[in-house]
């Protein structure tokens, strides 16, 4: 099995599906009858699904339901595709039937099976991808690396939306270069967060390579895909040259995280190398691809199933279960806080991490914010909601959140603070800027 494709293959069908939604309904004369379509889908499943016994059961059940008339009323091909997808998906989360009005409507082309691997070792062989040009969409999307930044407290953050294929035979492979650039950007951080909450999958080659950036080379931790043709390991053909074996790693997941997007956290979790945070992922473990069945229809069929050496299983149906369960939209905040807590625990003198953590926990400490409102030389302080806004000339406002009595953090920049002082009567009289590097300028109240 030399061409495993994960859920990214399903994404390739999306433009066609969009066209189908806007296209006029097909005429019955130009399209196959519902029972013909079901028979064609069942035949492909019986021929290609990774588990022959399960393939027969699924195909037999579909054919029996079709013979009983379960699909006869679905004369609109879009409704047929949706109904078959709903019917099949509980059996394998990757199952999906699509219809493209622009696809050939004749019989499906024959499927050429790859040659058997002939005695592939139980550990599997590393997955090697055939050379192919980069997809323009992947190039424009930076191969899935949507955002890389350094969060306050020196925590690295990588927002990864897909796992693009790496051609390891090409030293200048652009997807690998993108991965190396992202990893280099966070190379000096004290923790790394991968955000996969909107990652629907992709190629196991990238999963293996990124995993190797945080684990020992040749570690027995990688998923092994079992198929009708043999086995293949998700271990990369080329390991990352400088893995960070001690840096804490956090991976954010949600119900939208699927396929290869689940393989990465599942492998790191099984290796006890990352903390997984968020909500259980989608539960689509078995890789495959879209297969034409004729009449403009195609079905995603899983051609293999992973088995992890540490867990003995995979995440099909259940999803990856987070170590720290929080609502998906709170996962980043929780991961950042855990990373900062770990940094401070290792070194209490890390003022940047201490201040960042305190800023995350900043809440209004009571009292009347209006006492701070006024004019301080060139700066005007006003109350907006539960925050203070400091405006100087045409500059955007500096937003302050309360840390404690008379002490505020600059929202978005916890390395800066503002300390107000009062006179003997309790009236606020000065505003002092403070940074991690030391005291800043003072502004005296002038109103």
């Amino acid at each position: 099995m030399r061409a495993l494709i994960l859920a990214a293959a399903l994404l390739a069908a999306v433009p066609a599906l969009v066209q189908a939604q806007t296209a006029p309904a097909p005429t019955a004369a130009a399209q196959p009858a519902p029972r013909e379509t079901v028979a064609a889908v069942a035949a492909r499943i019986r021929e290609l699904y990774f588990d022959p016994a399960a393939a027969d059961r699924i195909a037999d059940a579909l054919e029996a339901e079709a013979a009983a008339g379960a699909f006869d009323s679905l004369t609109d091909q879009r409704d047929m595709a949706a109904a078959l997808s709903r019917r099949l998906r509980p059996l394998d989360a990757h199952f999906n039937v699509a219809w493209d009005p622009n696809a050939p409507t004749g019989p499906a082309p024959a499927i050429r099976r790859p040659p058997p691997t002939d005695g592939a070792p139980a550990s599997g062989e590393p997955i090697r991808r055939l050379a192919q040009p980069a997809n323009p969409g992947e190039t424009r999307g930076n191969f899935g690396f949507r955002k890389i930044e350094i969060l306050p407290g020196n925590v690295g953050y990588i927002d990864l939306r897909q796992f693009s294929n790496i051609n390891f035979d090409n030293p200048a492979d652009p997807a690998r270069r993108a991965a190396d650039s992202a990893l280099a950007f966070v190379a000096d951080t004290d923790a790394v967060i991968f955000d996969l909450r909107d990652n629907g999958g992709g190629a196991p080659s990238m999963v293996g390579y990124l995993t190797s950036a945080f684990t020992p080379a040749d570690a027995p931790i990688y998923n092994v895909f079992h198929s009708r043709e043999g086995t293949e390991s998700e271990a990369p053909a080329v390991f990352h040259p400088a893995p960070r074996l001690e840096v804490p790693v956090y991976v954010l997941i949600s119900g939208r995280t699927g396929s290869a997007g689940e393989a990465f956290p599942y492998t790191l979790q099984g290796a006890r190398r990352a903390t997984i945070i968020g909500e259980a992922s989608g539960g689509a473990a078995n890789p495959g691809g879209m297969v034409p069945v004729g009449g403009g229809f195609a079905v995603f069929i899983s051609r293999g199933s992973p088995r992890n050496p540490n867990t003995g299983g995979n995440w099909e149906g259940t999803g990856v279960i987070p170590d720290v369960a929080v609502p998906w939209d709170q996962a980043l905040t929780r991961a950042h806080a855990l990373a900062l807590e770990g940094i401070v625990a290792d070194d209490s003198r890390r003022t940047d991490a201490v201040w960042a953590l305190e800023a995350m926990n900043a809440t209004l400490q009571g009292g009347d914010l209006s006492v701070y409102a006024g004019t301080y030389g060139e700066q005007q302080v006003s109350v907006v909601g539960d925050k203070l806004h400091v405006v100087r000339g045409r500059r955007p406002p500096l937003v302050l959140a309360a840390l404690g009595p008379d002490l505020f953090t600059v929202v978005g920049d916890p390395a800066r603070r503002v300390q107000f002082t009062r006179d003997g009567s309790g009236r606020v009289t000065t505003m002092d800027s403070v940074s991690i590097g030391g005291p800043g300028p003072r502004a005296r109240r002038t109103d």
Side-chain angles (χ1 to χ4, degrees), residues 62-435:
L62 270 183
E63 290 168 341
E65 291 171 24
F71 303 96
D72 287 353
S73 64
L74 300 174
T75 56
D76 187 310
Q77 310 308 315
R78 295 163 291 194
D79 293 334
M80 170 62 81
L84 286 173
S85 295
R86 288 194 301 270
R87 170 64 178 81
L88 291 169
R89 197 169 291 125
L91 307 177
D92 186 310
H94 269 112
F95 267 135
N96 182 71
V97 178
W99 177 75
D100 181 356
N102 298 312
T105 57
I111 297 296
R112 298 199 306 178
R113 291 182 178 276
T117 54
D118 289 333
S123 60
E125 295 292 340
I127 292 175
R128 304 184 71 91
R129 294 304 201 180
L130 299 177
Q132 54 185 315
N135 183 296
E138 289 185 326
T139 303
R140 288 190 291 269
N142 197 35
F143 300 93
F145 292 92
R146 178 70 62 85
K147 184 178 183 181
I148 303 99
E149 66 175 310
I150 309 300
L151 302 178
N154 198 38
V155 175
Y157 173 77
I158 298 175
D159 181 358
L160 182 59
R161 300 302 177 93
Q162 71 178 58
F163 287 84
S164 294
N165 177 56
I166 296 176
N167 172 22
F168 289 111
D169 292 329
N170 177 11
D173 179 76
R176 182 180 172 189
R177 286 206 314 266
D180 286 338
S181 295
L183 294 170
F185 192 89
V186 300
D188 294 321
T189 57
D190 295 296
V192 177
I193 298 172
F194 280 90
D195 192 343
L196 306 184
R197 289 174 294 177
D198 287 299
N199 189 308
S205 52
M206 180 66 80
V207 172
Y209 188 68
L210 290 178
T211 299
S212 75
F214 301 95
T215 56
D218 292 316
I221 62 174
Y222 294 94
N223 299 309
V224 175
F225 294 98
H226 295 255
S227 72
R228 296 192 186 198
E229 287 77 40
T231 60
E232 279 186 309
S233 172
E234 203 166 50
V238 176
F239 292 93
H240 191 273
R244 301 184 67 190
L245 304 182
E246 303 297 330
V247 66
V249 179
Y250 303 87
V251 183
L252 315 183
I253 61 174
S254 77
R256 286 192 293 268
T257 308
S259 198
E262 299 173 274
F264 182 66
Y266 190 85
T267 299
L268 290 177
Q269 186 183 55
R272 299 181 183 276
R273 189 59 192 87
T275 301
I276 315 304
I277 301 175
E279 299 177 354
S281 60
N286 304 324
M290 297 300 290
V291 179
V293 299
F297 287 92
V299 57
F300 190 108
I301 298 179
S302 297
R303 307 287 290 274
S305 184
R307 187 176 304 158
N308 185 275
N310 287 309
T311 68
N314 61 42
W315 58 96
E316 179 67 30
T318 63
V320 181
I321 307 303
D323 300 304
V324 180
V326 297
W328 69 270
D329 56 347
Q330 299 176 23
L332 177 55
T333 299
R334 186 72 177 114
H336 191 191
L338 288 174
L340 293 172
E341 289 169 0
I343 294 169
V344 173
D346 288 341
D347 184 358
S348 60
R349 297 169 299 177
R350 282 290 300 275
T351 306
D352 61 330
V354 172
W355 281 24
L357 189 58
E358 290 177 348
M360 291 182 68
N361 298 326
T363 56
L364 190 61
Q365 301 294 314
D368 182 6
L369 286 181
S370 65
V371 300
Y372 304 103
T375 302
Y376 297 76
E378 299 177 284
Q379 302 175 84
Q380 187 69 37
V381 177
S382 59
V383 180
V384 179
D386 62 352
K387 304 288 193 300
L388 293 180
H389 282 208
V390 182
V391 176
R392 180 180 179 182
R394 298 187 299 104
R395 299 179 182 182
L398 204 64
V399 182
L400 308 181
L403 291 172
D406 298 338
L407 180 63
F408 292 76
T409 181
V410 175
V411 175
D413 187 1
R416 300 168 62 194
R417 291 180 169 183
V418 170
Q419 176 73 62
F420 292 93
T421 56
R422 302 173 184 248
D423 61 18
S425 66
R427 182 175 184 271
V428 175
T429 57
T430 62
M431 179 175 64
D432 293 293
S433 296
V434 185
S435 70

